[in-house]
Amino acid sequence: MADGEMWFEGILFPNVFKPEILRDIGDNFVVKNDDTIIVTYPKSGTNWLIEIVSLIYSKGDPQQIQTEPAWERSPWIESNIGYEILLNQCGPRNYTTHLPIQLFPKTFFSSKAKVIYLIRNPRDVLVSGYFFFKELSIVKTPDKLQEYFELFLKGSVAYGSWFEHIRGWLSMREKKDFLLLSYEELKENTRSTVEKICEFLEKKLKPEEIDLVLKYSSFKYMKENQLSSNKQMIDHFKNKNLTFTRKGVTGDWKNHFTVAQAEVFDKIYRERMAGYPPKLFPWEDS
Ligand code: A3P
């Protein structure tokens, strides 16, 4: 359990984050036209996408990717260390955030920065978050899935409501510099989705370079190697159960939700997501 909670503008954050930094990011951080930003709600496959984008920039060569410290590869803007790095970084930047859109830098809205927004079936996000956050001391997380389930639906979990996050960021989806991707399509059609990312980033890779991107960002490789930020996170929190590569599948929620939970979730999901074309969300087919 976390020692204390940190709320900022009605959103729950890991308690190591600082309100003054979050405020400064929103009001003063200058987003540049050549920035590339990975945006996700936590547990949607963020680290997988970071791996893929880093490998695209290095044309599939893992040796050229910053590994020590791993967070410098795509600094996490709202973390104290990530913000510091970004303030001092020159040239095209690639960074990551879980921030809901209303807390993102105001300068973003008049910039041409590229955003990749990765979404995932919220049922899988919930299960993944439950297993992850209960190992993490900086976010208060109940031991029982049912309790976490209720908090998730109320939006009283790290980074607030999934539904609000989606609603906020999807308002940008018609923008030319915005690429909407889903974990499900990345799983199902990895190669063509990686090619789509290359096109969006205007990076031309040869087929054999794409092969390398796929190889080094595969679940197996990421789990067995320390290219991902896993090792540093485990060392930092001194908890070997912490992992960014747990199962790496779609539909794991079916192994954890009761029939009653699935029904409650469906009802709330339908109410909250009314009005969106279902084809935006591949998990609605399954
Ligand atoms: P599970 O807990 O369902 O396994 P994030 O990086 O946003 O914290 O997301 C973590 C989720 O992405 C975890 O989901 C993790 O297993 C999955 N993941 C990480 N790397 C992956 C990969 N190479 N392929 C598929 N899924 C991956």
Side-chain angles (χ1 to χ4, degrees):
M1 285 288 202
D3 294 327
E5 294 190 346
M6 204 293 261
W7 290 81
F8 178 75
E9 301 286 336
I11 310 265
L12 181 65
F13 281 95
N15 65 13
V16 286
F17 287 10
K18 299 206 165 76
E20 59 273 22
I21 291 192
L22 296 179
R23 184 156 294 112
D24 199 47
I25 290 172
D27 292 344
N28 301 319
F29 184 76
V30 181
V31 173
K32 299 182 189 159
N33 288 338
D34 53 8
D35 286 350
T36 301
I37 311 157
I38 291 173
V39 183
T40 63
Y41 184 86
K43 311 319 292 173
S44 302
T46 326
N47 289 278
W48 186 17
L49 186 57
I50 292 175
E51 216 73 20
I52 290 172
V53 169
S54 305
L55 285 162
I56 289 174
Y57 279 112
S58 76
K59 295 191 183 276
D61 181 358
Q63 306 297 339
Q64 283 184 37
I65 295 178
Q66 172 86 37
T67 45
E68 293 283 342
W71 51 77
E72 280 189 14
R73 287 160 40 209
S74 185
W76 195 20
I77 187 171
E78 63 269 27
S79 69
N80 310 341
I81 186 162
Y83 192 49
E84 182 81 31
I85 291 168
L86 287 171
L87 288 178
N88 294 309
Q89 197 171 322
C90 309
R93 301 174 298 185
N94 161 19
Y95 47 98
T96 298
T97 189
H98 292 318
L99 285 174
I101 199 164
Q102 71 275 18
L103 299 183
F104 204 61
K106 295 185 178 56
T107 52
F108 163 68
F109 298 94
S110 53
S111 79
K112 294 199 175 78
K114 289 185 196 297
V115 162
I116 307 180
Y117 187 49
L118 179 67
I119 58 176
R120 185 183 191 190
N121 187 337
R123 299 162 185 86
D124 284 332
V125 166
L126 189 161
V127 168
S128 181
Y130 167 68
F131 285 109
F132 182 74
F133 289 122
K134 85 190 162 74
E135 299 296 337
L136 202 60
S137 57
I138 57 174
V139 181
K140 193 172 168 197
T141 308
D143 292 334
K144 293 210 164 51
L145 179 64
Q146 174 62 25
E147 287 171 46
Y148 187 78
F149 180 91
E150 289 165 20
L151 291 176
F152 184 91
L153 288 177
K154 277 200 297 190
S156 300
V157 288
Y159 289 92
S161 158
W162 179 88
F163 298 99
E164 295 300 319
H165 204 280
I166 289 279
R167 183 164 299 279
W169 280 102
L170 285 191
S171 66
M172 306 297 290
R173 72 182 190 275
E174 302 300 336
K175 240 185 123 215
K176 188 172 133 295
D177 302 308
F178 186 89
L179 178 65
L180 175 64
L181 292 181
S182 68
Y183 180 95
E184 287 72 16
E185 69 177 310
L186 203 45
K187 257 320 267 189
E188 175 108 9
N189 302 308
T190 316
R191 186 176 197 103
S192 62
T193 311
V194 166
E195 284 167 352
K196 208 196 253 187
I197 301 172
C198 289
E199 204 180 313
F200 179 69
L201 298 177
E202 298 168 80
K203 298 278 163 207
K204 283 205 169 57
L205 263 61
K206 298 184 190 126
E208 55 275 25
E209 290 168 340
I210 302 264
D211 291 342
L212 294 174
V213 173
L214 297 178
K215 175 178 170 188
Y216 293 119
S217 64
S218 70
F219 185 78
K220 190 168 181 295
Y221 189 87
M222 281 179 60
K223 203 170 176 68
E224 286 169 2
N225 292 274
Q226 299 304 343
L227 188 63
S228 75
S229 34
N230 259 3
K231 184 178 173 304
Q232 284 158 51
M233 183 179 63
I234 290 166
D235 291 350
H236 184 76
F237 290 103
K238 300 184 179 39
N239 180 351
K240 61 179 174 28
N241 294 329
L242 266 175
T243 177
F244 283 123
T245 45
R246 189 183 62 97
K247 271 196 173 173
V249 297
T250 55
D252 188 40
W253 66 273
K254 292 175 191 156
N255 299 317
H256 298 280
F257 278 20
T258 61
V259 173
Q261 283 171 335
E263 284 173 5
V264 169
F265 199 104
D266 280 354
K267 183 169 177 296
I268 292 176
Y269 181 92
R270 273 198 304 275
E271 286 165 10
R272 302 291 304 265
M273 301 301 279
Y276 282 112
K279 68 173 174 34
L280 269 185
F281 310 115
W283 54 83
E284 295 206 1
D285 298 338
S286 57

